[in-house]
Each structure stands twice: as C-alpha cells, then as structure tokens.
Amino acid sequence: MTDNELIKEILLGDKEKFRFIVEKYQQMVFRTCMGFVHDRDDAEDLAQDVFIQAYQSLSRFKGESAFSTWLYRIGVNASLNKLRESPLKIMMQKFEKITGHKTEIESYPPVADTEDPENILIRQEHIEWIQRTLGSLPENQKTAIVLSKYDDLSQKEIAEIMNTTEGAVEALLQRAKKNLREKLSGKGKNKSGNP
Amino acid sequence: MNCQLCKKELDSYIEGKLSDDLKNQIEAHLLICSDCKDAYRLQILADRVMAAEKELEVNPFLATRVMAEIETRESGTVRSIPNVLRPVLITISMGTAVFLGVIMGSIPQYKKIRETIPVELALIDDTRIESIDLLSNE
Ligand SMILES: [Zn+2]
C-alpha cells in the first residue's frame, strides 16, 4: 500500500493505519531530530510530537510532494522550535546517553597524534564540544547539515524540503562546513599561528 | 597546495571524492602542515560524532506510544467537556456535520470523509467550550 493510499484510508476514519506510517518513518524522523537536539530522550519525545502533528494536519497533506518531504518539514520545524524554546537546556543535556564511543584518548582537541584516522578516539568532552559547535550554526546551515549528514539526502532533496534551490543548498552546506571547521579549530586548538 | 585550498577540500577528501592528483597533493600537504592536519583530525572527529548519533536506533515502541497518545488526546478531549455543555456541543456538532455533510455529499469523492468529522469537531469545539465555560463563571 502506498503512502497516499494509506493516508486516504486514515482520513476516511481508519486511524489505526497511522501506525504503519509511524513504523515506516520513525527511524527517519528520529534521526533528523537527533541531528538537532543530540539527546536520545529529547529526540524521541520530539519524534512523537512530529507524528502527532502530522496526524492532526494529515488532511492538509495534498500529495504535491512526497510524504517523506512533508514529514521532514514538520520534523525540521519542530526541531528548530524546540531549540528556540530552550537552547541552553538542550545543549546541557546528558550526552553520555548518545554513543557507544567511550574510549579515552590522551589529548583534548586537536586529537592524539596518529596518522590513522581510524585511531582517532572520541571521548565525552569531544562529543559535547562538537554537538555545541553544531548547535551554534545558523538555523538554515544547521538544517542543511543535518539533512545531508544525518539523513544522507541529496542537495536536490534538501532543496525541496527547505523550499529553496539546489544552488542555495550547495552554498549553505559550504558555509556550514567552513563555519564548523573554523569554530572547531578556533576553539579546540592549543597551538597558535597559521602557516 | 595552500592551506585555504586544502581546508576547502578536506570534506571531499574524507569522503573520497577527489581525483588522485588532488588527493596526493592534500596528503603531501597534511604531512608538512600541522594546522591543516589539526583541521583534518577535527573534521574526522565531527564526522564520527555525527555518524554515531546517526546510527542510534529509535525505540521500537515509538509507534505504540504515538498511537496511545493520539487515542488519549482524542478520547481526552471528549471526556473533558463539561456535562452541562454536552447537549450544546452535540447540537453544534450535528448542525455543522449536517451542513458539511450536505456540502461534501454533493462531491462524490468526499462522501466517506464524513465519518471522520465528529472527531475533528470535538477537537475544535473543545477549546470553544472551555472559553464559554470561563465566561459563564463570571
Ligand atoms: Zn596547511
């Protein structure tokens, strides 16, 4: 059954079928929310809100875009709203929940002096620091980065979700990566001088 | 290779998107430039953090939670309506349902949608009923 067929049946009163929609898209929505809030519990609460919002406004989905595009938009908006609501609270969340990478390394960024990227180990403060840096990007850059890095979407797909052009998305991604690089190397470095 | 170009291409380098020539130039530069090498490591680190978050699996009970929440909200709104006002709501709902029914009934494809209307009306009217309640208390 296609998304549009499912939605038609839900709108006709078979609301239990909405469960299929949630099951199909829950990982996608959760991942997107995770990219914004970096906390598992918050991302799950947010994903739940996204689905409820989608359910309540289902009659407004006209099928002009893919259902996933519509759902991404709700997810991005809900995440941005959540961050606007209380950025400090979200950034201060308990980060240890999020990752299995608990190995220690000797130095704070810049990381241990090893030639092999596979040997770069991550510890808690790196994670927090990178999450804070990601969180400090302007909203549109952050959205483009999340949709690109967390959801593996093409620039064309991101452009559709963000209601802009592919060229604009490309520029946003470039700026976001440059911003990220500068913020990371500016804050994390204990060496000085640029060759 | 200068630092500006090297840093600009780091992302593509990490993703393995560069030509062999450019890749070799970057690798040669990374061997001699500690600043770019730091930038490279930080980028790897950022990618790893994002990849770790991306791989997290959603709680398999999310769908059950969502469906339960929808159920609660829908039944909750109906139950929260004060008993006294129920007849008023029912009258308004029925009146509106009949009105919409007449309109939608004239469009064949919308005939079945009428079945969902009472729930939506209950949601919409609930807020109105609450404000009426407040007013009548004054
Ligand atoms: Zn350099």
Side-chain angles (χ1 to χ4, degrees), chain B residues 3 29 33 36:
Chain B
C3 294
H29 183 80
C33 177
C36 285

Side-chain angles (χ1 to χ4, degrees), chain A:
Chain A
M1 196 176 260
T2 66
D3 289 346
N4 287 348
E5 286 166 348
L6 266 177
I7 290 161
K8 207 168 170 183
E9 296 206 4
I10 295 161
L11 289 173
L12 289 172
D14 191 357
K15 66 179 183 188
E16 248 309 304
K17 285 223 163 68
F18 191 69
R19 178 184 288 274
F20 295 122
I21 296 275
V22 182
E23 281 168 353
K24 179 170 176 188
Y25 290 106
Q26 57 187 359
Q27 188 63 39
M28 175 193 107
V29 171
F30 169 71
R31 206 168 44 215
T32 307
C33 296
M34 196 64 207
F36 285 93
V37 299
H38 309 293
D39 177 86
R40 188 186 192 115
D41 292 342
D42 274 350
E44 268 172 13
D45 289 348
L46 204 46
Q48 177 173 321
D49 290 347
V50 168
F51 282 115
I52 286 167
Q53 219 177 305
Y55 176 78
Q56 288 174 336
S57 44
L58 206 54
S59 60
R60 274 184 267 148
F61 173 67
K62 301 296 177 206
E64 282 159 10
S65 61
F67 181 72
S68 58
T69 303
W70 187 72
L71 202 54
Y72 268 125
R73 284 189 194 135
I74 297 178
V76 167
N77 284 331
S79 300
L80 290 175
N81 280 335
K82 172 90 180 166
L83 292 178
R84 287 177 200 137
E85 194 181 280
S86 174
L88 195 64
K89 179 183 160 255
I90 289 155
M91 286 303 143
M92 296 296 146
Q93 292 287 348
K94 294 126 194 131
F95 297 107
E96 67 269 13
K97 293 175 200 159
I98 67 111
T99 170
H101 295 269
K102 294 205 170 175
T103 11
E104 295 283 315
I105 63 166
E106 287 303 305
S107 65
Y108 193 62
V111 293
D113 193 12
T114 164
E115 300 302 312
D116 179 7
E118 289 308 304
N119 290 334
I120 296 176
L121 302 175
I122 305 173
R123 67 179 183 190
Q124 200 51 40
E125 58 217 89
H126 292 130
I127 296 171
E128 290 183 31
W129 172 61
I130 283 164
Q131 286 169 333
R132 272 198 306 274
T133 312
L134 279 169
S136 72
L137 292 175
E139 284 186 353
N140 53 1
Q141 292 180 23
K142 189 165 24 190
T143 302
I145 275 281
V146 170
L147 294 175
S148 165
K149 293 274 185 183
Y150 288 75
D151 293 295
D152 290 326
L153 297 182
S154 67
Q155 293 185 359
K156 185 167 182 272
E157 291 166 310
I158 298 172
E160 206 188 340
I161 293 164
M162 294 181 74
N163 216 355
T164 184
T165 62
E166 280 182 64
V169 170
E170 188 175 1
L172 271 179
L173 284 171
Q174 293 278 1
R175 282 210 300 279
K177 286 170 188 172
K178 185 166 184 275
N179 237 330
L180 207 54
R181 204 163 53 231
E182 285 174 356
K183 282 168 188 269
L184 286 174
S185 43
K187 276 184 187 171
K189 283 233 299 280
N190 38 31
K191 287 171 194 167
S192 59
N194 290 324

Side-chain angles (χ1 to χ4, degrees), chain B residues 3 5 12 17:
Chain B
C3 294
L5 179 61
S12 307
K17 288 178 182 167

Side-chain angles (χ1 to χ4, degrees), chain B residues 22 26 44 55 65 71 75-76 84 105 108 116 120-121:
Chain B
L22 202 48
I26 289 198
I44 297 259
E55 276 159 29
R65 265 176 69 186
E71 187 66 46
S75 57
V84 186
T116 63
E120 290 176 357
L121 277 178

